[in-house]
Amino acid sequence: MNPPKTDARRHHDPEVRGFASDNYAGAHPEVLAALALANGGHQVAYGEDTYTENLQRVIRSHFGPTAEAFPVFNGTGANVVALQAVTDRWGAVICAESAHINVDECGAPERVGGLKLLTVPTPDGKLTPELIDRQAYGWDDEHRAMPQVVSIAQATELGTVYTPDEIRAICEHAHAHGMKVHLDGSRLANAAASLNVPMRTLTNAAGVDILSLGGTKNGALFGEAVVVLNQDAVSHMKHLRKLSMQLASKMRFVSVQLEALLARDLWLRNAGHANEMAQRLAEGVRAVHGVEILYPVQANAVFARLPHDVSERLQKRFRFYFWDEAAGEVRWMCSFDTTEEDVDAFLAALKEETAR
Ligand SMILES: Cc1ncc(COP(=O)(O)O)c(C=O)c1O
């Protein structure tokens, strides 16, 4: 099926991989095969197709009989739709300062969702009940946007992972204050693989009300889903998805990708492999003098601090991003298609460049 490397229609080298982002990876071959199977013939548009119907069954097998999936195009869209579904017009969302919704979504939750974000600095990307309390007040104060939701990411943007107990404590605390809990699970598969627990343990079993479930970073071409876990907490999902421009007309092609990942163990194989590569990378990095790992490596990301000139030379050999350039901090991400050879070649280059 794969065209030869010399095919003139191919404009990149399929053997070149870096450590910039799990979004740099292509789609998993099993996802592409599922897409081909879903092609042909006519299917009802806008989600009334048999692939979306089947996805609902698969989602219920993971998240229980009342879970309902709303496939969307991307993670920002999933977050914006999900957060609107659990807030009033005057509502606010408590989140970590480092949260993707705060730093990497171009203000979409504010501008598109009309939501106020109440942010809290965290040492490692994780909220706690105590940190939430820095913003959880003033419900009767008409001068303040009303805290109505706590949003956490699992895994976090800093590659750390909440334990089920930590999520449960956050949910209990939020619910005790009348707030709901949204979980940005763009990398939920990586967190579940890391802890060796079902995704349900980290979501509805712990009290999460609504989930943005990732597909893209897990091996899809594109596509995520908002998963409603607590039907009583959520309203008007269908209208909000359309209003937010996240309703795919040919939805079967989003749904079949998620089904390919979730129906059997592809989600776990892909996430587990990416995590393993991050562990291999971290282990190698720890042995390199002058490079410091910044956070516990619990998913598929390694954050490190190293001399700026070393990073710059290394970037000429492998793609990766500065996280905080002034502080000399970088992020190295592994994905489902990162190989042991990729990691070892990167480590060899890191050693060479730090020794120069
Ligand atoms: C934690 C987190 N949430 C959500 C997203 C969704 O991103 P996108 O809108 O690019 O699909 C990302 C992507 O990098 C992410 O890291």
Side-chain angles (χ1 to χ4, degrees), residues 23 74-76 79 100 105 157 184 186-187 217:
N23 285 333
N74 56 41
T76 300
N79 287 338
H100 199 266
E105 298 188 354
E157 292 73 5
D184 177 349
S186 149
R187 296 188 185 88
K217 296 173 194 352

Side-chain angles (χ1 to χ4, degrees), residues 21-23 73-79 98-101 104-105 153-158 184-187 212 216-217 223-224 246 323 331 333:
S21 169
D22 32 12
N23 285 333
F73 292 111
N74 56 41
T76 300
N79 287 338
S98 55
H100 199 266
I101 55 172
D104 262 328
E105 298 188 354
Q154 173 76 322
T156 72
E157 292 73 5
L158 302 182
D184 177 349
S186 149
R187 296 188 185 88
S212 302
T216 316
K217 296 173 194 352
E224 325 265 306
Q246 287 288 324
W323 192 251
R331 181 187 77 166
M333 296 291 301

Side-chain angles (χ1 to χ4, degrees), residues 141-183:
D141 178 0
E142 76 206 66
H143 301 285
R144 186 164 197 260
M146 185 188 286
Q148 291 189 318
V149 192
V150 173
S151 179
I152 58 174
Q154 173 76 322
T156 72
E157 292 73 5
L158 302 182
T160 52
V161 161
Y162 290 92
T163 65
D165 283 347
E166 287 171 334
I167 297 179
R168 194 169 306 112
I170 286 171
C171 293
E172 278 170 9
H173 193 70
H175 292 157
H177 286 88
M179 297 186 291
K180 294 161 189 167
V181 178
H182 163 253
L183 191 143

Side-chain angles (χ1 to χ4, degrees), residues 188-205:
L188 181 61
N190 299 85
S194 168
L195 294 165
N196 195 23
V197 296
M199 290 189 282
R200 189 176 178 167
T201 305
L202 303 170
T203 52
N204 36 344

